[in-house]
Amino acid sequence: MAKFIVLAALVVSAISWYHSHHMPKGQAPELLAPDISGRIISLQKMTGKGPVLIYFWATWCGYCRVVSPAVSELSTEHQVITVALQSGTPEEVASYQQKHNLKFRTINDPAGALSASWGLQVTPTIAIVDTEGNVSTVTSGMTSRLGLKTRLWLAN
């Protein structure tokens, strides 16, 4: 059983690495854009106040339906930016968030240009940017609230 658990952990880690290896390393790219309500989000201004979790998701993503509530919970106590990839108009994204009680701020990325500039390969993908503005971790696929909270704590 122990061999299976170790093998499963290695496979999951390899898949996550493969899906996130195009994401930025070192200094985070500029991220300055309006959210779906029209308010400007500036990653660079936010990093001066502590680590920032950036969540790339989509309304059509099955795994995102599990991860999004955890990200929403974290957004009440941590800095969170989310990017909705190819999920419709700002109004459609806002409606989806309201229907699913998701409280995080979201940048709409209807054509996927912003996500592509970050090297996104798959949703959900989460990047943690530390207080120096460096990408400290990137993960793709399923994750938990505790896992995200731990990554944010390590980025302090």
Side-chain angles (χ1 to χ4, degrees), residues 53-57 71 80-84 97 104-107:
L53 183 148
I54 304 171
Y55 175 49
F56 295 90
W57 65 285
V71 173
V80 172
I81 298 171
T82 76
V83 179
Q97 285 188 232
F104 43 65
R105 289 181 70 189
T106 301
I107 297 168

Side-chain angles (χ1 to χ4, degrees), residues 81-102:
I81 298 171
T82 76
V83 179
L85 173 66
Q86 299 172 338
S87 295
T89 66
E91 295 78 20
E92 289 169 323
V93 173
S95 175
Y96 179 89
Q97 285 188 232
Q98 185 176 21
K99 178 180 176 185
H100 296 280
N101 198 30
L102 302 175

Side-chain angles (χ1 to χ4, degrees), residues 33-41 90 105-106:
D35 66 14
I36 57 175
S37 66
R39 295 186 344 237
I40 297 295
I41 293 177
R105 289 181 70 189
T106 301

Side-chain angles (χ1 to χ4, degrees), residues 4-94:
F4 174 77
I5 292 171
V6 169
L7 180 61
L10 288 172
V11 168
V12 168
S13 295
I15 291 169
S16 181
W17 173 84
Y18 176 77
H19 285 144
S20 63
H21 77 280
H22 291 294
M23 295 291 286
K25 292 154 186 66
Q27 191 69 32
E30 174 70 29
L31 181 54
L32 180 68
D35 66 14
I36 57 175
S37 66
R39 295 186 344 237
I40 297 295
I41 293 177
S42 170
L43 172 62
Q44 284 60 32
K45 284 184 181 175
M46 292 173 72
T47 57
K49 299 174 189 166
V52 180
L53 183 148
I54 304 171
Y55 175 49
F56 295 90
W57 65 285
T59 57
W60 44 264
C61 166
Y63 288 126
C64 298
R65 291 188 184 117
V66 176
V67 176
S68 292
V71 173
S72 185
E73 276 184 51
L74 282 173
S75 72
T76 64
E77 50 191 79
H78 296 281
Q79 297 186 99
V80 172
I81 298 171
T82 76
V83 179
L85 173 66
Q86 299 172 338
S87 295
T89 66
E91 295 78 20
E92 289 169 323
V93 173

